[in-house]
Amino acid sequence: MDKNEAKAYVQELVARASAAQKIAEGYDQARVNELCAAVAWECCKEDFRRVAAKTLVEESRMGIEQDKFNKILNKVKGVWRDMKDEVSVGIVETDVEKQIVRYIKPVGVIAALIPVTNGEATPAVKALWALKARNAIIMSPHPRGKKTLQYVTDYIRGVLKKYDAPEDLIMCVDPAYFSLEVTHELMAQCDYIAATGGTPMVRVAYSSGTPAIGVGTGNVATYIDSSADLEDAAHKIMLSKTFDNSTSCSSENQCIVNEAVYDDFIKAMQAEGGYLVKDGSEEKEIIIRTMWPKWHEDHNNHDLTRELIAKTAPEMCEAMGLKAPKDVKFIMVEENGGFGKDYPLTGEKLSVITTLIKCKDFEDGMDKMTACLNYMGNGHSCGIHTKNAEQIDKLARRMTVSRIMVNQPQALANSGSWGNGMRATMTLGCSTWGFNSTSENVTWKQFVNYTVVSKPIEAIIPSDEELFPEYIRNK
């Protein structure tokens, strides 16, 4: 499809979506909630989740079907829980004293870029956000997630039809017409862009000329303190690293371990199914050559091999010739040489590999965590396993991340879980540190506009004594 054909195709999609959105803009809160509840309920059904999960595993050749099946349920239920009773129509704030009234309004037609790593749950979540805010949404897939996106979109459109709502509120690019030209046109022609994916894609969205919200690259590091419950930490890291074969950008890519408990932590991780690859070993070199096939020729090339992304540990070990037990769950690789482009194991791996980095103490651990973030993943997330409250405060004050998980499995926690207060999301803002426009766990509240009405009030002008008491006293 050439540029003119792509432009015409997208114009048709946007026209249909815009017409549907104009209808939704007239809905009251009860109607909005009815549709959101219906979509959430239907997307929680086992038959839908099974097909969506199975389809994505088959076409992407990544992840674990059962984990994706569970992911859809938890994310859809979590998102609906969070927004169920929130006001998204009409007046959302009234300040009687200041005579300010705030009205909430939709943004229009949203272009949504869907990642292959979470292509089963992200479309349902973004559809719910769009409906809650009375928007229409047109989703564009990753090339290896086209069939899944089409299935999820058609399923939700069927729910809307059942409830006499315009089906074109939820649309996607037809797999037969998908191309980069179509995606670029979609970003150019819609009113707003919601981009979930890697930093390069997000930067394209931000440079499109259309208002956009996106997320940055993950490279989560977690610190293991000498005070930590090592068995608990190891178990949670295993859960996080192995969930959906580490398709999440939030899994622990680095474990920075206090040297006082380093050996005991390794034993705890081995008890959870971890296979240790020693620093300086031939196996470590094999992993680097296999995971980053072009890195040895160009240390600026950090492209991961697609063949091993989000595979099981046994599959990875067999492919790389590692002599791990058959029941291995994840791989630990020691790295005590340095950080950055010359040490690719200190970056994101999108696999069941976690890098072990030894530190002298907490301060040294923070220095090494900062070095990891400076290389990759700035603004995203980090974690800590400790019983020392002062360490948590120091880490929060220093790290340039948008969220810190304390004594939790990172990938199962920072995007919202039943066991913490984070809002459920599939899109993690990474602040300006990660070249994003938000630090938040993105929700429907990033999909709206506001109109503020101000009425006159009696002028209250504070005296200089009230405003500048310390200066007045020293005159």
Side-chain angles (χ1 to χ4, degrees), residues 217-397:
T217 300
N219 184 34
V220 174
T222 192
Y223 169 70
I224 316 299
D225 186 54
S226 58
S227 69
D229 181 329
L230 299 182
E231 286 72 25
D232 180 69
H235 180 65
K236 288 173 178 175
I237 292 168
M238 178 277 292
L239 292 175
S240 178
K241 284 304 298 180
T242 59
F243 181 78
D244 203 18
N245 283 346
S246 236
T247 55
S248 170
C249 58
S250 296
S251 69
E252 291 84 348
N253 277 274
Q254 280 74 235
C255 292
I256 301 171
V257 188
N258 190 302
E259 65 180 9
V261 295
Y262 185 80
D263 292 339
D264 288 338
F265 177 69
I266 288 176
K267 291 177 182 177
M269 293 281 272
Q270 289 173 325
E272 292 290 341
Y275 177 68
L276 178 64
V277 174
K278 299 287 288 183
D279 203 359
S281 68
E282 182 181 353
E283 285 189 326
K284 179 179 176 181
E285 289 304 310
I286 291 172
I287 289 173
I288 294 174
R289 286 199 304 269
T290 308
M291 293 298 294
W292 295 274
K294 298 179 181 179
W295 175 81
H296 281 280
E297 299 173 6
D298 178 7
H299 281 205
N300 289 311
N301 190 322
H302 307 138
D303 293 341
L304 289 159
T305 178
R306 293 184 177 181
E307 284 70 24
L308 291 180
I309 289 176
K311 298 297 184 183
T312 65
E315 288 172 330
M316 294 189 72
C317 289
E318 182 178 358
M320 293 187 286
L322 304 184
K323 296 179 174 62
K326 291 184 179 180
D327 59 352
V328 61
K329 294 181 180 178
F330 60 97
I331 302 166
M332 305 174 283
V333 187
E334 292 184 316
E335 177 58 87
N336 291 303
F339 305 87
K341 66 179 183 178
D342 295 331
Y343 302 90
L345 282 163
T346 60
E348 186 177 36
K349 294 171 275 291
L350 285 175
S351 66
V352 292
I353 296 175
T354 188
T355 304
L356 298 180
I357 300 170
K358 187 186 296 185
C359 63
K360 296 176 182 178
D361 51 30
F362 176 62
E363 293 296 328
D364 185 41
M366 287 201 296
D367 289 342
K368 290 179 174 176
M369 185 176 287
T370 298
C372 290
L373 291 171
N374 286 341
Y375 168 44
M376 190 181 295
N378 213 6
H380 196 285
S381 313
C382 69
I384 184 171
H385 290 267
T386 185
K387 295 177 183 176
N388 188 325
E390 185 179 355
Q391 288 180 345
I392 299 167
D393 179 68
K394 286 184 176 180
L395 193 73
R397 291 178 184 276

